[in-house]
Amino acid sequence: MSPATDGGNAEPAYQVLSFQPHQEAHARKYIKRKSHRKSRGGCLGCKLSRVKCDEGKPACTRCRRCNAECQYPSPEKCKSVPKSNARERVEEHRGAITPYNVPFPFAQPSSIALVDAYLQSKSPTRGISRVSLLHHINQHFPSAHGLETAGGHISFIVSLGISRPYLLDVTLAVAACHLRHMYQANPYPGLGTTDTIAACRVAEHYQQSLAFRGFGRALTENFDQEASDSVLLSSMMFNLLSFALDDDDDPYRSWVFSSAPDRLAWFSLNQGLAPLLMSTKQFHDQSILRHIFDASDDEEKTYHGDDVKSLSKVPSHWLRLCGLDYTSEDHEHVFYEPVRILAELFPIPVNHQSFFLYMAFFGKLGVEFRAALENDSEEAMWLLGYWLGMLCRFDHVWWLSARARRDYRAICIWLDKRKVRRRAGAEGVMWRLLMIDLEGATQPPLELGSWHSPRAEELPQIDES
């Protein structure tokens, strides 16, 4: 840009030179940009997106066009403040977010802090932006089935994630995953569905990779109440993603038929929650997850009590499969607690509260159980398959049902390929009973006390040849 003077005291008339390939330079007159008033009263959605808001009431034009909820900061928070007082401006905006009840004191973030938190990491290339994922959380998470981890406190989780970025990142990963499932279940007309789903997947993996890095560091630090809730919430969301990321419904593509060394990585990830629960136990009474802890057991402490429980409710052919009987006292046996919990769960009705009882089974699976799966143990496969079959009853849980259904079918096929029903003698009778039970695991439970496994003489005859 070069100045051209007109003489006298006139202000220089600047010219702008434009250069194009293989062309001479072109000069044009510089036109000064018109001054404009900076909007400080725009809605939170436009502030998050860093776009100009027309400040329409009750909703601005952009929010109406996007069919989004339009929220404004309270009027007294929107007064102009000098740039030098940026830190004070952040403090003045505290309380702009919709209030909610939390189980322990925690400062609510300002709108500016919220914007900064969501823009502190770049959005992935060709992936859903962090701002769009925030919008999805605000619009769809409160009513989403299967997000029981949030416990209705998604605003609190977002706020906590501002100071614990790994929690924010994994929450955004879950948002991207949920958005992908919505597109897959109900493709929107006029959108490039394949490209959109791919963009959701990119965001899922990107946000999860960011979360893993911060989560690993958080586990090495001392816990307080906020840190305890943050790592527990993050661990539960990682477990959710381990089920939801793989949505291939072909049973032959399940880990059951895989020979990959990491085929049980999802299993190991879910096992990490149990020791984390033990190390944070002192903070559970004041935790935002208290409702989950309370719903994970009954008044008799059937599922997590310290007292040794009997196997009286376990069918005899289940015990025989596991190498146990009603007089067994080896409570450290790898299959003792898993088979007991399965028998306890069978008559439990399917509802929001019982979901956490059903998930208690996984907490009973230790390293030995994983090793048994690695070694293709028929006993471990049957026990895990029966639990997966019962999880299929929760067909409204978007992140769980497809994966549970696929792996359940895979285990049924895997056992049939080993011809367990055709085995001779008492072993064959046992397996025919077991397979009847396994194939009925997906059915809603009968009335308590009406469970009846067929007797040996009631079984269909198998041609041993």
Side-chain angles (χ1 to χ4, degrees), residues 123-129 195-203:
S123 298
T125 305
R126 299 195 181 97
I128 304 296
S129 70
D195 292 340
T196 304
I197 291 175
C200 291
R201 280 201 176 279
V202 169

Side-chain angles (χ1 to χ4, degrees), residues 169 173 203-214 238:
D169 288 325
E204 286 176 66
H205 292 284
Y206 175 80
Q207 296 297 158
Q208 187 173 209
S209 66
L210 290 179
F212 269 129
R213 279 182 278 176
F238 282 130

Side-chain angles (χ1 to χ4, degrees), residues 75-116:
E76 62 271 16
K77 310 297 182 183
C78 301
K79 296 177 181 178
S80 177
V81 181
K83 290 184 178 180
S84 59
N85 296 333
R87 185 179 299 275
E88 289 79 356
R89 186 170 67 250
V90 170
E91 296 301 322
E92 283 190 7
H93 278 81
R94 289 194 180 278
I97 308 302
T98 304
Y100 45 83
N101 295 322
V102 295
F104 57 87
F106 185 79
Q108 295 185 17
S110 68
S111 57
I112 293 179
L114 191 59
V115 172
D116 290 342

Side-chain angles (χ1 to χ4, degrees), residues 204-230:
E204 286 176 66
H205 292 284
Y206 175 80
Q207 296 297 158
Q208 187 173 209
S209 66
L210 290 179
F212 269 129
R213 279 182 278 176
F215 182 69
R217 290 192 295 269
L219 294 179
T220 65
E221 300 170 355
N222 294 328
F223 290 150
D224 55 17
Q225 186 67 66
E226 292 177 12
S228 171
D229 277 358
S230 296

Side-chain angles (χ1 to χ4, degrees), residues 69 80 179 213 225 245 278 300 312 355 394 413:
E69 182 180 1
S80 177
L179 186 60
R213 279 182 278 176
Q225 186 67 66
L245 284 176
M278 292 296 296
E300 290 75 31
S312 59
F355 176 79
F394 293 89
I413 295 170

Side-chain angles (χ1 to χ4, degrees), residues 110-225:
S110 68
S111 57
I112 293 179
L114 191 59
V115 172
D116 290 342
Y118 275 88
L119 296 174
Q120 64 189 352
S121 294
K122 293 181 180 179
S123 298
T125 305
R126 299 195 181 97
I128 304 296
S129 70
R130 290 165 66 88
V131 171
S132 296
L133 295 177
L134 168 63
H135 176 76
H136 183 68
I137 288 173
N138 290 334
Q139 292 296 310
H140 297 285
F141 267 33
S143 60
H145 290 294
L147 286 172
E148 289 82 0
T149 298
H153 295 290
I154 194 65
S155 297
F156 172 76
I157 295 173
V158 169
S159 300
L160 190 57
I162 292 176
S163 59
R164 315 277 174 172
Y166 61 88
L167 174 58
L168 181 63
D169 288 325
V170 74
T171 304
L172 292 176
V174 172
C177 187
H178 183 248
L179 186 60
R180 172 172 60 85
H181 277 73
M182 287 181 64
Y183 277 117
Q184 290 173 325
N186 300 293
Y188 292 93
L191 291 179
T193 305
T194 302
D195 292 340
T196 304
I197 291 175
C200 291
R201 280 201 176 279
V202 169
E204 286 176 66
H205 292 284
Y206 175 80
Q207 296 297 158
Q208 187 173 209
S209 66
L210 290 179
F212 269 129
R213 279 182 278 176
F215 182 69
R217 290 192 295 269
L219 294 179
T220 65
E221 300 170 355
N222 294 328
F223 290 150
D224 55 17
Q225 186 67 66

Side-chain angles (χ1 to χ4, degrees), residues 377-406:
S377 162
E378 293 174 349
E379 298 86 353
M381 283 288 195
W382 187 90
L383 291 168
L384 184 61
Y386 194 90
W387 177 66
L388 290 168
M390 290 198 294
L391 290 187
C392 293
R393 302 170 181 176
F394 293 89
D395 57 0
H396 62 285
V397 180
W398 62 272
W399 59 268
L400 177 70
S401 55
R403 174 70 177 271
R405 189 164 51 248
R406 183 200 68 177

